[in-house]
Amino acid sequence: MRTQVGIIGGGPSGLLLSQLLHRRGIETVVLEKHSREYVLERIRAGVLEHSFAELMREAQVGERMDREGQIHDGFYIAHGGIKKRVDLRALTGGKTVIVYGQTELTRDLYEARDQAGGILIHNAADVKPHDLASPHPYLTYRLGEETVRIDCDYIVGCDGFHGVSRQSIPKEKVRTFERVYPFGWLGVLTRTEPVSPELIYARHERGFALCSLRSPTLSRYYIQVPLSDSVDNWPDEQFFDELRRRLPAGVSEAMITGPSIEKSIAPLRSFVIEPMRFGKLFLAGDAGHILPPTGARGLNTAASDIHYLYHALVDHYSQRDDRGLESYSQRALARVWKGQRFSWWMTNLLHRFPDSSPFDERIQETELAYLFSSEKALALLAENYVGLPL
Ligand code: FAD
Ligand code: PHB
């Protein structure tokens, strides 16, 4: 088999790139290790920035997102028993975010790829990129007994943090940067009315908590837990008791609880690889970087990689202009690091660190007090949360 762009990974990054390129007449093959059902069961991102939504529209897959997604003009930060609003729209001159689940947008992308007759191979085992430093790279994968080869012009690694693409780059060609936090987020999804129509991020001495949502009838809640914890230690009732303790009284009292339909722990980590390219291989999304979820930047940063790479590939195929491909890594990384800085800042602001001293705690309290006493400080938070310009 032969294609122009071979894409490893059928998560949001891989599917979005494939759909965008298809619209511009560029052929792709997407190789996904898991089944479609498995990919759709993962409950992950919920908050999309404006430029992500624009990219979905450009790919002609934004219709349901625009119909069912909820525009959020602001969110709350709770601490010291009260909650204060961050008015995104007012602070950014009209910008907002959209609450629309990663599961839903992945479903929309699958549908679009199916309708266009796109080649998307699920359960592709042992995917391997080859000859990346040569002009003729190719992919192999196993389907049952058979090993299939796909010759490509370019290969794009969209296979997430644990994928094969990043591992295929010789260690001496890259530098990695990492911070592992000593805690994770225990997340629960319930079919209940959300306690607040806007997200509430809570700082509390028992640890961070977040009240989020997917729709008016689907709530997503998180609490900070130690890295060593396990979902088995958290029956629903215990989870909600702990969540309530970390929220202002008015919020806890209003909370409607119900049985969890999903429960999982996500460790918090920051990671970046530089450069995000090796020969004919380009990395995009979680394959190249992981952001802690506190600033809701992960998927949004993946989308900015896809934006740069999409335009670079279009320029290559339509005008033989390779400047976008040559500068891809540099441009993508500049935005990745801004997202990292913001997520790091928000993680530090709102979490309880096991080794924090009374001094550190006062600094955290002062940072929050300062934030809500200064329009300028709030505006910085808001402009990062809605997404910096591409
Ligand atoms: P992935 O979604 O990881 O997709 C990679 C795909 O590649 C997978 O389908 C995988 O099966 C496949 N794959 C892996 N290895 C191979 C292989 N060897 N061969 C073939 N296929 C392979 N981001 C936000 O912007 N906003 C949020 O509100 C937000 N909330 C989050 C909440 C949680 C709890 C978590 C965990 C993450 C959150 N994120 C958020 C981050 C976001 O979910 C990720 O950044 C996003 O999933 C990245 O998409 P991706 O397509 O790059 O990678
Ligand atoms: C979510 O709804 O899953 C979510 C929302 C905001 C975040 C992280 C996750 O910052």
Side-chain angles (χ1 to χ4, degrees), residues 44 46-47 185 199 201 210 212-214 220 222 293-296:
R44 286 181 164 183
V47 177
W185 283 14
L199 274 70
Y201 289 86
L210 170 61
S212 182
L213 64 156
R214 289 291 176 276
R220 181 71 165 155
Y222 296 98
T294 325

Side-chain angles (χ1 to χ4, degrees), residues 39 49 55 109 212 240 257 292 333 355-356:
V39 176
E49 66 186 34
L55 212 51
L109 284 162
S212 182
F240 282 110
T257 63
L333 281 166
D355 61 349
S356 74

Side-chain angles (χ1 to χ4, degrees), residues 316-328:
H316 167 79
Y317 284 108
S318 63
Q319 298 167 44
R320 297 188 181 185
D321 178 351
D322 282 350
R323 282 176 298 177
L325 288 175
E326 294 306 328
S327 62
Y328 164 72

Side-chain angles (χ1 to χ4, degrees), residues 53-313:
E54 279 297 300
L55 212 51
M56 288 286 283
R57 291 179 195 120
E58 181 157 356
Q60 306 269 305
V61 280
E63 201 202 312
R64 196 162 70 96
M65 174 191 76
D66 282 329
R67 209 174 50 239
E68 295 178 14
Q70 302 168 61
I71 292 175
H72 280 219
D73 291 344
F75 66 88
Y76 293 95
I77 293 183
H79 67 110
I82 47 166
K83 68 182 187 4
K84 292 182 178 150
R85 188 160 185 269
V86 179
D87 188 334
L88 293 173
R89 194 187 281 276
L91 289 160
T92 60
K95 294 193 180 142
T96 56
V97 291
I98 299 184
V99 168
Y100 189 63
Q102 180 167 332
T103 313
E104 300 311 314
L105 72 89
T106 307
R107 203 186 296 281
D108 297 343
L109 284 162
Y110 274 144
E111 223 163 82
R113 295 313 299 126
D114 286 350
Q115 268 175 20
I119 306 180
L120 165 55
I121 295 157
H122 281 281
N123 302 310
D126 242 344
V127 175
K128 284 195 190 104
H130 304 268
D131 289 0
L132 296 170
S134 86
H136 305 292
Y138 65 97
L139 287 165
T140 55
Y141 69 99
R142 225 171 13 81
L143 204 55
E145 296 293 288
E146 194 193 356
T147 297
V148 184
R149 171 176 171 145
I150 308 175
D151 292 287
C152 314
D153 297 339
Y154 296 102
I155 294 175
V156 184
C158 294
D159 48 349
F161 187 61
H162 301 286
V164 65
S165 306
R166 198 177 65 250
Q167 319 292 346
S168 310
I169 305 178
K171 295 265 172 301
E172 67 279 9
K173 298 287 182 194
V174 287
R175 239 184 118 182
T176 58
F177 303 81
E178 187 167 33
R179 167 158 302 195
V180 178
Y181 295 90
F183 40 75
W185 283 14
L186 168 62
V188 157
L189 188 71
T190 59
R191 233 175 265 294
T192 51
E193 185 189 334
V195 68
S196 162
E198 291 184 337
L199 274 70
I200 305 173
Y201 289 86
R203 173 191 181 267
H204 192 273
E205 62 209 21
R206 297 182 66 89
F208 168 80
L210 170 61
C211 303
S212 182
L213 64 156
R214 289 291 176 276
S215 75
T217 55
L218 209 50
S219 303
R220 181 71 165 155
Y221 297 115
Y222 296 98
I223 55 171
Q224 173 188 347
V225 294
L227 259 191
S228 54
D229 218 332
S230 143
V231 288
D232 302 333
N233 297 332
W234 292 96
D236 291 352
E237 204 175 316
Q238 223 157 307
F239 173 86
F240 282 110
D241 284 349
E242 185 57 37
L243 175 64
R244 283 201 188 93
R245 280 193 201 112
R246 298 182 187 189
L247 297 169
V251 180
S252 317
E253 283 153 19
M255 181 169 296
I256 301 167
T257 63
S260 61
I261 49 177
E262 197 267 357
K263 195 183 279 168
S264 52
I265 295 181
L268 265 69
R269 177 195 295 270
S270 311
F271 175 90
V272 182
I273 188 168
E274 287 187 2
M276 286 169 56
R277 174 188 186 174
F278 172 66
K280 297 274 179 169
L281 171 74
F282 294 89
L283 298 176
D286 281 16
H289 39 76
I290 290 289
L291 288 81
T294 325
R297 297 293 82 213
L299 181 58
N300 290 310
T301 306
S304 66
D305 297 348
I306 298 302
H307 166 92
Y308 297 127
L309 196 51
Y310 158 56
H311 287 287
L313 286 164

Side-chain angles (χ1 to χ4, degrees), residues 21-40:
L21 292 177
H22 161 78
R23 307 266 327 148
R24 303 297 289 264
I26 299 167
E27 285 169 23
T28 62
V29 172
V30 179
L31 297 178
E32 166 59 48
K33 173 178 169 177
H34 288 111
S35 69
R36 186 171 291 207
E37 296 68 39
Y38 178 94
V39 176
L40 287 174

